Amino acid sequence: MRLSRYFLPVLKETPSEAQVVSHRYMLRAGMIKQSAAGIYSWLPLGYRVLKKIEGIVHEEQMRAGHIPMLMPTIQSADLWRESGRYDAYGEEMLRIRDRHDRDMLFTPTAEELITDIFRSNVSSYKDLPLTMYQIQWKFRDEIRPRFGVMRGREFYMKDGYNFDLTKEDALHAYNRHLVTYLRTYERMGLQAIPMRADGGPIGGDYTHEFLVLAETGESEVFYDSEITDLSFGAREIDYDSVEQCQAVLEEFTSRYARTDETHDEALFNAVPEERRRVARGIEVGQIFYFGTKYSEALGATVQTAEGDSVPVHMGSHGIGVSRLLGAIIEASHDDKGIIWPEGVTPFHCGIVNLKQGDDEADAACEQLYAALTAIGLEPLYDDRKERAGGKFASMDLIGLPWRITVGPRGLKNGVVEVTSRRTGESEEMSPEDAVKKIAAIYANHPTPRGF
């Protein structure tokens, strides 16, 4: 992509309504524009990152054998009355009526709808286990939407649902989801800590939230500092193995880590004092096992091998796809702008032409652009006739992790400059070596293609 042909409405001043870093930088970098309170248009740069995050979520869910689908954003109230949640959910649910005076609602979550799909099509234990998921827009009518996409009313979310014959099978699905989430967040450059949480309006005795530590987090968290030394890394896992998934769950949840809603002071005090930490965290996902709560209410049953009809055991598992953009920025930025981890960057690197219109500089930039594109990478070429300082400021603000700077002076010596956004360190090398360096970096950070 050439910046002269791209839509990137960068702001020099910070909008007064932006209270946290991620909201400020998303507005300034031209990623979003507010349409109404807590509702945003996703502009091209923001949309690219959103789709990169969505792509990683899809890849890790399908790696575990989960099946993607799509459900509507508007649901009938009848299903929610059947489950007993229509009145119990509260004012966050946006209730509406269609022209035929039928009660409808804008989806805040989809346990009822997926259970109805299941009960209409599955009747035998032979069709289990089954896990389906979607990535879809949701709406919760927050009383005070704030912090940009971190606490919006409309949000993009992955919600998955498992159906199993027994509690033991469903708890394996729970553990399997925990493993997929650890992989997902690490690919995005995040350390998301699983913490014992409250079931809330969805319910469930087994539930963990995944929180990213950040000063602007909405939740107070209490944890054993040992947990921040853990990493899933590049290990391979057999998702069908009960033992392997259980071992990962025990590894990442055996140390104390809880939100303020479930905090137990006595248990926390049992942690050695030098390892006790109190901080704030941003919730970016949650997994639930809630047994037969919905299957019993909605009649989602299967016939066993013995011929008995039993309700299936269920769980639901969510990742805040749009919220993750805010969380990543809160965890990765400096006073110049965003610093995207390689796994989710909107463009793999920036190419800055210091003297647009110079034949040699223009030709070198075009060759770099073509070479990077030919190996499947997505560069952003700043080919505008702007001063060098403005180009550097724009690149720092939008946060591409690597920049190749091309100028007449360096080209006379046969070199360009490769700069790391995170460290600020620069290295001179030939254009060919610059391409090889960027290619080698992203060989270890596979990213879905952007839009």
Side-chain angles (χ1 to χ4, degrees):
M1 181 59 66
R2 299 167 194 274
L3 201 47
S4 63
R5 303 179 188 174
Y6 200 55
F7 182 67
L8 188 66
V10 169
L11 303 177
K12 292 183 179 180
E13 302 298 326
T14 299
S16 59
E17 71 270 21
Q19 297 176 296
V20 296
V21 167
S22 58
H23 194 192
R24 291 199 298 269
Y25 282 154
M26 289 184 77
L27 289 171
R28 284 197 56 212
M31 299 180 71
I32 55 173
K33 183 182 185 303
Q34 182 169 302
S35 172
I39 302 173
Y40 294 89
S41 294
W42 290 80
L43 306 183
L45 191 74
Y47 184 60
R48 282 185 72 90
V49 182
L50 187 71
K51 300 306 284 188
K52 296 269 180 146
I53 291 173
E54 178 184 0
I56 291 174
V57 173
H58 272 303
E59 288 175 3
E60 294 304 328
Q61 288 301 300
M62 289 188 285
R63 184 195 297 266
H66 306 160
I67 305 168
M69 61 175 300
L70 189 64
M71 291 178 278
T73 57
I74 303 296
Q75 296 186 33
S76 168
D78 293 343
L79 279 173
W80 287 68
R81 290 193 175 104
E82 199 175 340
S83 72
R85 278 209 303 175
Y86 184 69
D87 295 317
Y89 198 91
E91 293 185 356
E92 284 190 353
M93 182 193 290
L94 183 63
R95 297 164 172 84
I96 55 180
R97 285 189 176 178
D98 65 15
R99 65 170 63 194
H100 301 290
D101 210 31
R102 290 176 297 212
D103 289 326
M104 311 291 284
L105 57 98
F106 199 117
T107 301
T109 183
E111 283 80 12
E112 284 81 1
L113 191 55
I114 192 69
T115 305
D116 180 55
I117 292 169
F118 177 89
R119 71 181 179 183
S120 300
N121 295 281
V122 179
S123 59
S124 171
Y125 75 97
K126 295 178 182 178
D127 296 319
L128 302 179
L130 180 64
T131 295
M132 296 184 286
Y133 76 94
Q134 66 169 350
I135 299 179
Q136 174 65 294
W137 291 101
K138 305 289 191 300
F139 190 92
R140 294 177 189 167
D141 200 4
E142 294 275 355
I143 189 170
R144 284 185 298 274
R146 59 192 187 278
F147 305 154
V149 300
M150 300 270 288
R151 191 79 180 258
R153 293 193 295 164
E154 184 183 57
F155 54 96
Y156 205 41
M157 178 181 172
K158 171 262 166 180
D159 48 319
Y161 306 90
N162 65 280
F163 300 87
D164 291 277
L165 184 61
T166 66
K167 179 178 181 179
E168 291 72 25
D169 292 340
L171 289 179
H172 173 56
Y174 183 94
N175 297 351
R176 189 175 65 241
H177 277 87
L178 181 135
V179 176
T180 69
Y181 282 23
L182 291 172
R183 284 185 60 98
T184 297
Y185 297 128
E186 286 193 16
R187 280 189 61 184
M188 297 176 188
L190 290 173
Q191 182 175 49
I193 302 172
M195 298 192 177
R196 178 68 68 180
D198 180 70
I202 293 177
D205 297 327
Y206 294 79
T207 179
H208 281 86
E209 286 179 346
F210 291 77
L211 289 102
V212 174
L213 299 178
E215 293 179 1
T216 52
E218 73 272 42
S219 301
E220 189 174 29
V221 296
F222 304 80
Y223 64 97
D224 182 339
S225 64
E226 276 194 349
I227 201 166
T228 58
D229 297 327
L230 299 177
S231 171
F232 189 84
R235 71 180 90 171
E236 291 297 325
I237 193 92
D238 178 359
Y239 285 105
D240 291 328
S241 170
V242 172
E243 293 76 16
Q244 288 186 35
C245 292
Q246 178 67 27
V248 174
L249 174 107
E250 291 174 358
E251 177 184 356
F252 282 84
T253 64
S254 59
R255 296 162 183 80
Y256 190 91
R258 297 196 178 197
T259 64
D260 49 359
E261 294 176 319
T262 59
H263 177 54
D264 186 315
E265 194 69 27
L267 289 176
F268 187 56
N269 288 337
V271 176
E273 185 175 0
E274 67 275 11
R275 298 197 331 240
R276 287 181 221 152
R277 299 288 186 275
V278 181
R280 302 204 68 80
I282 301 167
E283 182 197 342
V284 291
Q286 189 163 2
I287 56 177
F288 299 86
Y289 161 73
F290 42 68
T292 58
K293 174 179 177 178
Y294 296 97
S295 56
E296 286 184 347
L298 296 169
T301 62
V302 295
Q303 192 172 54
T304 67
E306 293 76 28
D308 299 322
S309 181
V310 298
V312 292
H313 288 254
M314 294 175 57
S316 72
H317 316 276
I319 288 179
V321 175
S322 54
R323 169 179 272 231
L324 272 165
L325 273 83
I328 291 169
I329 294 170
E330 293 292 335
S332 185
H333 68 272
D334 61 17
D335 58 359
K336 296 178 181 178
I338 303 164
I339 306 173
W340 291 116
E342 281 84 354
V344 296
T345 179
F347 296 95
H348 293 107
C349 72
I351 301 172
V352 172
N353 190 340
L354 292 181
K355 194 171 184 181
Q356 195 71 38
D358 178 87
D359 290 342
E360 191 176 5
D362 290 356
C365 288
E366 291 289 351
Q367 290 168 7
L368 282 167
Y369 184 86
L372 290 165
T373 303
I375 58 175
L377 297 179
E378 300 167 309
L380 178 64
Y381 174 21
D382 191 344
D383 60 341
R384 300 172 300 164
K385 292 184 177 180
E386 296 272 347
R387 60 182 180 83
K391 290 186 174 186
F392 289 147
S394 293
M395 284 292 176
D396 285 343
L397 175 61
I398 67 175
L400 307 187
W402 295 93
R403 186 184 76 227
I404 303 175
T405 304
V406 181
R409 185 180 302 174
L411 290 174
K412 286 179 181 177
N413 298 316
V415 298
V416 295
E417 187 178 71
V418 178
T419 303
S420 165
R421 174 69 180 87
R422 186 169 299 279
T423 66
E425 296 177 356
S426 296
E427 184 180 358
E428 289 187 339
M429 62 188 72
S430 70
E432 295 77 15
D433 286 342
V435 171
K436 290 177 183 177
K437 180 179 179 69
I438 300 299
I441 290 166
Y442 286 102
N444 298 317
H445 296 281
T447 60
R449 288 194 66 81
F451 284 80

